[in-house]
Every structure is written in C-alpha cells, then in structure tokens.
Amino acid sequence: MKINRILLSAALVVVALVVQVSVLSRLQLPGAVPDLVLLTVIALSLVYGHVSGALIGFGAGLLSDLAPPADHAVGRYALVLCVVGYVVGLFRPEKGQIRSATGPMAVVVVAAVGSTLLYAAVGALVGDTAARHVGLGFLLFTAALYDLLLAPFTVPAIMALARRVENDPLAETGTATDVASGWLSSGTGLRIGAQRSGLRVKAARSRASRAGRIKGVKRL
C-alpha cells in the first residue's frame, strides 16, 4: 500500500473507532449497534480494491478487538473485516465512478448482514452464544437497517476524501463530489454530470433561438 493510503486509512479508522466506542455504542439502540468502522472499511475498499481492502479491514478489526470494552477473543472481528474488505473490494466500480446509489446501498446491506453472520459463526466456534440470546434474525435486521441509515452520511464523503488524497483524476475533475449526489438520489439512475451537460445544451439552444427571433425582427 502507498504511504498516503496507509496514513489516511489509519486516521479514518481511528476516528471511526473513537466515534463508535464513545457515541454509537452508548445510544442503547435495540438489537445491533451502527457500525461506523464497517462503513469506513466498505468505503475505502470501494476506492482501493480488494487487496488494500483486506489489509485495511484486518487492521480496523484488530483495533476494534483491542478497544474497550472488548468482550470477545482478539482477532475475531479482524477476521470478519478482513473478509468483508476483500469481498467488497472485488466490487470496486469500473473507473471508480458510481452512477447510482443502488449498487453501494446493496453492498452495505450485504456487508452488514454478512459480517454479522460471520461474527456469530466465529463466535459459535469459540463457544460464544450471545447472538442466540439476542435473536439472530433481529440482530441481522437492525444491523442492516442502522448501517443503511448511516451510510449516506459517511461512505460518499470517505470515498471522495480517499480519491482526493490518492490524487485520483476523478477528484480533480469534480466527479468525486458526484458520489454523494448519486448516493442520495436513492438509486434513481440520474447522472449529475449528464444533467449538467443537458442543461448546458438547453441553454445554448435557448440562446440560439432568441438570437434567431431577434434577427427575424430586425429583418422585418
């Protein structure tokens, strides 16, 4: 990994973990807890790809395992986020462009459900049955719901920041800023760049039409 990727990823993961432990985990919501660390791994994996995603996921999961109040074996969440980062990175958008919110939203839901299932499965192997007491079905539903509600406010911003630090041409041309717009459009398929081009064409046609009418009046 490049040094700028490492520094940015480490900073974002630490900030996400601090917010996770100090704020989100204290909300006492029913079922699962909104997983900001997971969303950070998803966003970085969608930008950097599967190899970097796996490394970032492992590091983020290991920090989560060590952060208080740690109530599980060290390495358990590291394994989960490593797998999530690798798999999500395989779905990195072509040329880094996201034209619709449908794909990323689906990735968030699948990652939330998959990480919860994998975490429970690993826990069952080491004798942790906490998921059974809470109810696995309710846990999966709340995990997907909370992460999906939090994702539009975090994932697009993290992706845009990662591209800018990466010196991605998309960030310089302003395409990276369209990620949030495309996400918040809720999968309508509307492309902000296409809308801008269409508005420019309409404005040019309108000016040409007005010029034609003015010339016609002068001739009369």
Side-chain angles (χ1 to χ4, degrees), residues 4-185:
N4 54 348
R5 289 188 181 184
I6 296 174
L7 294 177
L8 177 64
S9 301
L12 291 175
V13 167
V14 169
V15 171
L17 184 60
V18 170
V19 175
Q20 179 82 29
V21 173
S22 61
V23 178
L24 298 179
S25 62
R26 298 184 179 183
L27 295 178
Q28 297 182 348
L29 297 173
V33 175
D35 198 338
L36 185 58
V37 176
L38 173 65
L39 295 177
T40 302
V41 172
I42 291 174
L44 294 175
S45 299
L46 288 174
V47 176
Y48 296 146
H50 61 284
V51 175
S52 297
L55 295 175
I56 294 170
F58 179 81
L62 189 60
L63 286 177
S64 299
D65 288 332
L66 297 174
D71 57 352
H72 56 269
V74 175
R76 180 175 170 185
Y77 203 47
L79 172 62
V80 172
L81 288 188
C82 180
V83 174
V84 170
Y86 182 86
V87 174
V88 170
L90 295 176
F91 295 92
R92 177 186 179 186
E94 185 179 357
K95 299 181 181 179
Q97 296 181 355
I98 295 180
R99 303 184 183 278
S100 171
T102 304
M105 289 173 70
V107 169
V108 169
V109 173
V110 172
V113 173
S115 62
T116 305
L117 285 174
L118 184 57
Y119 186 83
V122 175
L125 292 177
V126 296
D128 185 359
T129 59
R132 297 180 182 177
H133 300 292
V134 178
L136 185 57
F138 182 65
L139 199 62
L140 293 174
F141 173 75
T142 52
L145 178 62
Y146 296 154
D147 290 347
L148 191 59
L149 293 176
L150 185 60
F153 305 100
T154 55
V155 176
I158 294 174
M159 292 180 66
L161 179 61
R163 284 175 178 157
R164 186 169 294 278
V165 174
E166 189 75 2
N167 294 322
D168 194 319
L170 290 174
E172 297 177 0
T173 58
T175 307
T177 59
D178 289 341
V179 175
S181 301
W183 189 292
L184 294 176
S185 65

